[in-house]
Amino acid sequence: MPRARFLVLSLALPLVAILSCKSGSSPTAPSIEATTFASSLGVDLSASTRTSTGLYYRDLIMGTGATAASGHSLSVHYTGWLANGTQFDTNVAPATPLTLTLGIGQVIAGWDQGLAGMKVGGRRQLIIPPSLGYGSTPNGTIPANSILVFSVDLISSQ
């Protein structure tokens, strides 16, 4: 009997240790609604549209040109920030616009969802939850489980 108890404990303890490490290794993703955004970002959730996936978007400038849709080739200028106001990326003019095909996974899901329906000439603010960004994986200067805020200008949609 003591040998059987030892065998059970020797198998169970490593499993408990592994499960404990796994559950503590990745912090819980924050919710957009509970986040305090840097005032410089101009985030106004009450003036934004929330999608069923948790993405928020708001047209800062309403475009008048062609409408972006899945499968379209888009050219955009953008700037991205963390919720605390730290800028992590930009390609604003006069830089060459980023070209992408919408809806095929070339960009994070928050962009594929958040740029659809935007009109050329417009500027849209996207507030992207971690699940539609980089999730629990850090990416360069973007920490794991980051809420991302983008300002995107749509230059063309074909």
Side-chain angles (χ1 to χ4, degrees):
M1 191 73 131
R3 182 161 166 75
R5 214 177 295 151
F6 173 76
L7 184 59
V8 169
L9 285 175
S10 66
L11 293 174
L13 288 177
L15 182 60
V16 169
I18 289 168
L19 292 175
S20 297
C21 288
K22 183 157 179 71
S23 67
S25 65
S26 176
T28 303
S31 80
I32 288 175
E33 297 80 6
T35 297
T36 300
F37 292 91
S39 60
S40 61
L41 299 176
V43 170
D44 182 355
L45 295 181
S46 67
S48 301
T49 300
R50 184 186 189 279
T51 69
S52 62
T53 59
L55 167 78
Y56 282 83
Y57 68 90
R58 178 168 58 118
D59 288 312
L60 303 174
I61 298 172
M62 187 61 77
T64 57
T67 302
S70 187
H72 285 196
S73 176
L74 307 183
S75 292
V76 300
H77 284 296
Y78 67 90
T79 302
W81 298 270
L82 301 176
N84 67 8
T86 302
Q87 182 179 310
F88 61 82
D89 196 9
T90 188
N91 84 333
V92 294
T96 303
L98 172 69
T99 302
L100 62 112
T101 301
L102 190 63
I104 64 167
Q106 284 184 334
V107 291
I108 59 174
W111 272 42
D112 272 341
Q113 293 177 22
L115 298 182
M118 190 175 176
K119 293 188 177 287
V120 170
R123 174 175 294 152
R124 184 171 278 184
Q125 181 181 66
L126 304 175
I127 303 139
I128 302 174
S131 62
L132 300 177
Y134 298 104
S136 61
T137 305
N139 186 357
T141 59
I142 301 171
N145 293 314
S146 290
I147 293 171
L148 308 175
V149 179
F150 284 94
S151 176
V152 182
D153 294 336
L154 183 56
I155 309 303
S156 69
S157 175
Q158 303 174 345

